[in-house]
Amino acid sequence: MHFTLLLAAFGCGLVSAQTGVVNPLAQVCNTSLPKVLCINKYASVMPYHFFREVSNGSYLSVFGSTSVPNDTSFGLVNKADFLVFDRKRGLDLLGPNPSYELAFNVSEGIHEAPVYVASQNKLYFSQLGPTPAYLPQLVIDLNEDPPTLSEYLSDPSVFAPSGGTFHNGLIYWGASAGSDSIGGTEQRVGLRTVNPETNKSTTLLNNYLGYYFNMVDDLVVSANGDIWFTDPQYSWFAGATDTAPQLEPATYRFRPSTGAVNLVEDSLIQPNGIAISPSGKTLYISDTGASTGRPFNATGKRSIYAYTICDKGASLLNKRAIYLSPDLIPDGLKVAQNGYVVTATGAGVDVLDEDGTLLVRVQTNFVVHNFAWTGRDLKTLWLVGLGGIGTVNWNLQGQKLK
């Protein structure tokens, strides 16, 4: 037989012999919730020929970007607000009437460090631009119907908060940029608190034995008051600090009562998001080395790691990788009250179980950098990011920050 005929016959045999294909790949979970889509068996076997481009500096690849011409159900993916990968647990955390809405269109600058102050029912967060030396932050008043958005400045102002949390009546912000003159004063990368009742800010930390930190990107406060924070180099890449890096990218623990700073993790390329489990026994840190000031490198690090907190917080043991972000980098990182891990990953938010199994993805129409739970029952998630502010209402409850 002629070679080309043999090749054609062999190729046809391959197509007809494909087994294990998940069919359909996607389907509406419940007809009463058309925006909630179930992905059957994680779409683990797709019909050939499928292909997904990788993200780069100008193109954002999402799951729905995958070309799957031989399964028409996959076309539903980009139309959904919620993708459910684990039907039982996913539908339970979404609740009976989940919703996603774009609440505000904002500048194309990065928006970060959202902190909910329950006593005021207000959400404070930062805007890192339109220029590197931009100072006013933002606040959403949730007492209004609809909520209102306005600019906010503490006294003294906090330069470029990139991560934040609430503890003992105070907003804790990581000031991510440094300058000899910003708002009429010198400010350096470090940790600040803001009293939302008096509007007064206080510097807790601004150096490591004389060296400038690179960028306090994200932080979390443990039950005993220790502040755990990540220190990557993104401020230098973005021109938001006037000094070159003096320290390697690392993660630290700061004890305000003594002023001691301890290095706790230095193996990650660019440590970013950080969160603690409700039990206080597990610390999660994301490595976003795929984004290092150059165009996005899809083969670089974009993973979340879990660590066991030992010796009353003196050490981290048992480092293990638990999740590879499929869409850009795992930026903001928090843990729900039930222990589920939530992370901002590109144009959406992923919900994982404690072991890193993907349960649900929230799909948004803007790149999400961070988020915070709000409301009396802490079941409304406000998302902040690039050009947009959105809300998710679901059954997944956040931790109550005291």
Side-chain angles (χ1 to χ4, degrees), residues 29 41 52 119-120 159 171 174 256 313 337 357:
C29 306
K41 296 186 69 175
R52 178 177 175 179
S119 62
Q120 297 180 337
F159 188 19
I171 296 170
Q337 182 59 41
T357 301

mmCIF file of all heavy atoms in Angstrom, residues 29 41 52 119-120 159 171 174 256 313 337 357:
data_model
loop_
_atom_site.group_PDB
_atom_site.id
_atom_site.type_symbol
_atom_site.label_atom_id
_atom_site.label_comp_id
_atom_site.label_asym_id
_atom_site.label_seq_id
_atom_site.Cartn_x
_atom_site.Cartn_y
_atom_site.Cartn_z
ATOM 1 N N CYS A 29 -25.191 22.860 36.013
ATOM 2 C CA CYS A 29 -25.418 22.005 37.181
ATOM 3 C C CYS A 29 -26.897 21.932 37.542
ATOM 4 O O CYS A 29 -27.406 20.885 37.937
ATOM 5 C CB CYS A 29 -24.641 22.531 38.386
ATOM 6 S SG CYS A 29 -22.886 22.768 38.116
ATOM 7 N N LYS A 41 -15.683 15.529 35.754
ATOM 8 C CA LYS A 41 -14.402 14.837 35.957
ATOM 9 C C LYS A 41 -13.200 15.729 35.613
ATOM 10 O O LYS A 41 -12.197 15.271 35.077
ATOM 11 C CB LYS A 41 -14.351 13.538 35.148
ATOM 12 C CG LYS A 41 -15.386 12.500 35.593
ATOM 13 C CD LYS A 41 -15.216 11.183 34.890
ATOM 14 C CE LYS A 41 -13.948 10.470 35.334
ATOM 15 N NZ LYS A 41 -13.848 9.104 34.731
ATOM 16 N N ARG A 52 -4.601 24.753 24.155
ATOM 17 C CA ARG A 52 -4.722 25.982 24.928
ATOM 18 C C ARG A 52 -3.440 26.787 24.825
ATOM 19 O O ARG A 52 -2.353 26.294 25.148
ATOM 20 C CB ARG A 52 -5.028 25.670 26.403
ATOM 21 C CG ARG A 52 -5.118 26.916 27.277
ATOM 22 C CD ARG A 52 -5.499 26.575 28.714
ATOM 23 N NE ARG A 52 -5.471 27.776 29.561
ATOM 24 C CZ ARG A 52 -5.778 27.800 30.860
ATOM 25 N NH1 ARG A 52 -6.159 26.680 31.463
ATOM 26 N NH2 ARG A 52 -5.717 28.919 31.552
ATOM 27 N N SER A 119 -16.931 47.086 62.338
ATOM 28 C CA SER A 119 -17.595 48.067 63.198
ATOM 29 C C SER A 119 -18.122 49.260 62.402
ATOM 30 O O SER A 119 -19.089 49.912 62.795
ATOM 31 C CB SER A 119 -16.645 48.555 64.292
ATOM 32 O OG SER A 119 -15.525 49.213 63.711
ATOM 33 N N GLN A 120 -17.488 49.547 61.268
ATOM 34 C CA GLN A 120 -17.920 50.643 60.405
ATOM 35 C C GLN A 120 -18.699 50.152 59.180
ATOM 36 O O GLN A 120 -19.335 50.951 58.493
ATOM 37 C CB GLN A 120 -16.709 51.442 59.915
ATOM 38 C CG GLN A 120 -15.912 52.136 60.998
ATOM 39 C CD GLN A 120 -14.738 52.911 60.407
ATOM 40 O OE1 GLN A 120 -14.260 52.623 59.307
ATOM 41 N NE2 GLN A 120 -14.274 53.901 61.140
ATOM 42 N N PHE A 159 2.039 54.767 52.098
ATOM 43 C CA PHE A 159 2.460 54.726 50.704
ATOM 44 C C PHE A 159 2.308 53.313 50.142
ATOM 45 O O PHE A 159 2.965 52.378 50.585
ATOM 46 C CB PHE A 159 3.910 55.190 50.610
ATOM 47 C CG PHE A 159 4.437 55.373 49.213
ATOM 48 C CD1 PHE A 159 3.594 55.516 48.120
ATOM 49 C CD2 PHE A 159 5.803 55.426 48.995
ATOM 50 C CE1 PHE A 159 4.094 55.692 46.852
ATOM 51 C CE2 PHE A 159 6.320 55.606 47.723
ATOM 52 C CZ PHE A 159 5.464 55.736 46.646
ATOM 53 N N ILE A 171 -6.338 48.418 61.206
ATOM 54 C CA ILE A 171 -5.972 47.984 59.864
ATOM 55 C C ILE A 171 -4.461 47.785 59.839
ATOM 56 O O ILE A 171 -3.705 48.670 60.243
ATOM 57 C CB ILE A 171 -6.378 49.041 58.815
ATOM 58 C CG1 ILE A 171 -7.895 49.206 58.768
ATOM 59 C CG2 ILE A 171 -5.836 48.677 57.435
ATOM 60 C CD1 ILE A 171 -8.347 50.391 57.939
ATOM 61 N N GLY A 174 0.751 46.487 54.602
ATOM 62 C CA GLY A 174 2.134 46.391 54.171
ATOM 63 C C GLY A 174 2.425 47.497 53.176
ATOM 64 O O GLY A 174 1.885 47.483 52.066
ATOM 65 N N PRO A 256 5.815 42.298 67.129
ATOM 66 C CA PRO A 256 5.767 43.710 67.548
ATOM 67 C C PRO A 256 6.138 43.939 69.006
ATOM 68 O O PRO A 256 6.689 44.994 69.346
ATOM 69 C CB PRO A 256 4.308 44.094 67.281
ATOM 70 C CG PRO A 256 3.846 43.151 66.215
ATOM 71 C CD PRO A 256 4.545 41.864 66.517
ATOM 72 N N GLY A 313 5.344 28.786 66.463
ATOM 73 C CA GLY A 313 5.612 29.779 65.434
ATOM 74 C C GLY A 313 7.072 30.041 65.183
ATOM 75 O O GLY A 313 7.418 30.898 64.366
ATOM 76 N N GLN A 337 -13.349 30.142 56.711
ATOM 77 C CA GLN A 337 -13.584 29.638 58.062
ATOM 78 C C GLN A 337 -13.535 28.115 58.120
ATOM 79 O O GLN A 337 -13.113 27.531 59.116
ATOM 80 C CB GLN A 337 -14.936 30.150 58.581
ATOM 81 C CG GLN A 337 -15.275 29.720 60.003
ATOM 82 C CD GLN A 337 -14.244 30.193 61.025
ATOM 83 O OE1 GLN A 337 -13.761 31.318 60.955
ATOM 84 N NE2 GLN A 337 -13.899 29.330 61.971
ATOM 85 N N THR A 357 -6.922 20.661 46.147
ATOM 86 C CA THR A 357 -7.820 20.208 45.090
ATOM 87 C C THR A 357 -8.765 21.338 44.705
ATOM 88 O O THR A 357 -9.424 21.934 45.568
ATOM 89 C CB THR A 357 -8.638 18.986 45.550
ATOM 90 O OG1 THR A 357 -7.736 17.927 45.908
ATOM 91 C CG2 THR A 357 -9.563 18.498 44.440
#
